[in-house]
Amino acid sequence: MAKGSAARSAATFSVIGADVVVTGNINATVDLHIDGSVEGDIACAAVIQGEGSRITGSIVADSARLSGMVDGSITARELIIARTAHVTGDIAYESISIETGGVVEGRFTVRGGAALLTSEHESQLKLVSAAPAA
């Protein structure tokens, strides 16, 4: 195997820089760090979104940390929505954390063995801000 091929196969994450715009779906077996813009669906092991980033499309990942704008549905086992994030779309999760200042507009659905939010398994929330835990 050539040196370049060995380096690529050993990569544990991929980066989409702030000056990059991707139009189309992304499928990755590694972690993905997005600082640019993506117009399409994303499926990867884990996604980390930078503050200035924008994603228009669905996200499916084992874990996700969102800090920018997202317009689309999200399915993640573990989800963190940072204080700078603005998410518009339905969310399915097992574990979720929303920092004070993070905005979410959409339906929340608990997946797996976690307790359900309502008898219908869904709840509509619009979180604008929350008081910090004592």
Side-chain angles (χ1 to χ4, degrees):
M1 200 180 327
K3 272 188 175 180
S5 296
R8 277 191 298 264
S9 65
T12 58
F13 67 93
S14 294
V15 177
I16 296 175
D19 61 339
V20 177
V21 176
V22 175
T23 302
N25 298 337
I26 298 174
N27 292 302
T29 57
V30 296
D31 297 351
L32 188 59
H33 186 107
I34 301 172
D35 285 323
S37 296
V38 176
E39 296 175 15
D41 298 337
I42 298 171
C44 60
V47 64
I48 298 171
Q49 179 191 33
E51 288 184 19
S53 173
R54 180 172 185 86
I55 298 170
T56 304
S58 68
I59 298 171
V60 177
D62 187 53
S63 67
R65 178 172 176 76
L66 307 176
S67 299
M69 302 287 290
V70 177
D71 188 2
S73 64
I74 301 166
T75 301
R77 183 184 54 76
E78 180 181 341
L79 178 60
I80 298 171
I81 298 175
R83 63 180 175 72
T84 56
H86 187 124
V87 178
T88 303
D90 295 343
I91 296 174
Y93 66 94
E94 288 182 26
S95 169
I96 191 168
S97 174
I98 303 173
E99 295 177 357
T100 300
V103 177
V104 179
E105 298 180 53
R107 292 183 304 174
F108 288 72
T109 302
V110 179
R111 298 176 43 208
L116 300 175
L117 294 175
T118 70
S119 60
E120 294 180 329
H121 309 274
E122 293 183 344
S123 178
Q124 283 212 258
L125 300 175
K126 179 177 181 182
L127 180 63
V128 175
S129 69

